[in-house]
Amino acid sequence: MPPLLLGLLTAFLVLALDQGSKLAVLRWSESWTGPGQQILPFMDFVYLWNTGISYGLFPQGETGRWVLLAIKVVAAVLFAAWLARTSRRLEAIALGLLIGGALGNAVDRLVYGAVFDFISLHAFGLRWYVFNIADVAVVVGVIVLLYDALFTRASKTPPSDVSR
């Protein structure tokens, strides 16, 4: 499969999984009697609208909603331009994860005015921030790009001749 197609397929799958999971949890949450549902001993699904940026920092009003939406769309377009020029499959997958994640949260901002976060991890009395599938895709995409840049490309770079 060509890298461009692989990246676009990855982006589409992330977007579909993100939006599908959000819709499913939103519908399911209508029947909850409490603030959330335990899924695993270390994971709950909760109902949280994030009007800010990562970790709910800097909550935004209506203007901020559109600014954050524009940033997500511009990022997706820039990643798509990068994707169109790559010939490497791992890089294409990472860019697809970033595009799908950015668009997943952009759809939330456009439709709802905020991003729906619902996954809450916890252990030993400590709780991590609440996130969604799009957030996971963005983090994994960045990690894959870093791995690719530091290890995959570096191992293919010919050693320089230091004796000159």
Side-chain angles (χ1 to χ4, degrees), residues 8-18:
L8 291 175
L9 179 62
T10 301
F12 175 77
L13 290 173
V14 167
L15 180 59
L17 182 60
D18 175 66

Side-chain angles (χ1 to χ4, degrees), residues 19-106:
Q19 289 299 300
S21 65
K22 288 172 180 173
L23 285 173
V25 173
L26 277 169
R27 294 265 189 314
W28 181 34
S29 69
E30 293 170 1
S31 67
W32 296 352
T33 57
Q37 295 291 312
Q38 183 177 16
I39 304 302
L40 296 169
F42 58 87
M43 182 171 76
D44 299 338
F45 281 0
V46 298
Y47 185 94
L48 178 73
W49 289 102
N50 182 355
T51 60
I53 58 174
S54 296
Y55 311 105
L57 297 173
F58 311 114
Q60 304 295 308
E62 193 62 19
T63 302
R65 166 193 180 186
W66 296 108
V67 169
L68 291 174
L69 173 63
I71 289 170
K72 301 247 186 238
V73 171
V74 167
V77 168
L78 292 174
F79 289 136
W82 183 357
L83 174 62
R85 292 180 298 151
T86 190
S87 60
R88 305 178 60 247
R89 295 170 55 87
L90 187 59
E91 188 174 61
I93 290 168
L95 292 167
L97 290 167
L98 291 169
I99 293 166
L103 291 178
N105 283 339

Side-chain angles (χ1 to χ4, degrees), residues 100-113:
L103 291 178
N105 283 339
V107 167
D108 284 14
R109 288 210 189 272
L110 180 64
V111 174
Y112 305 111

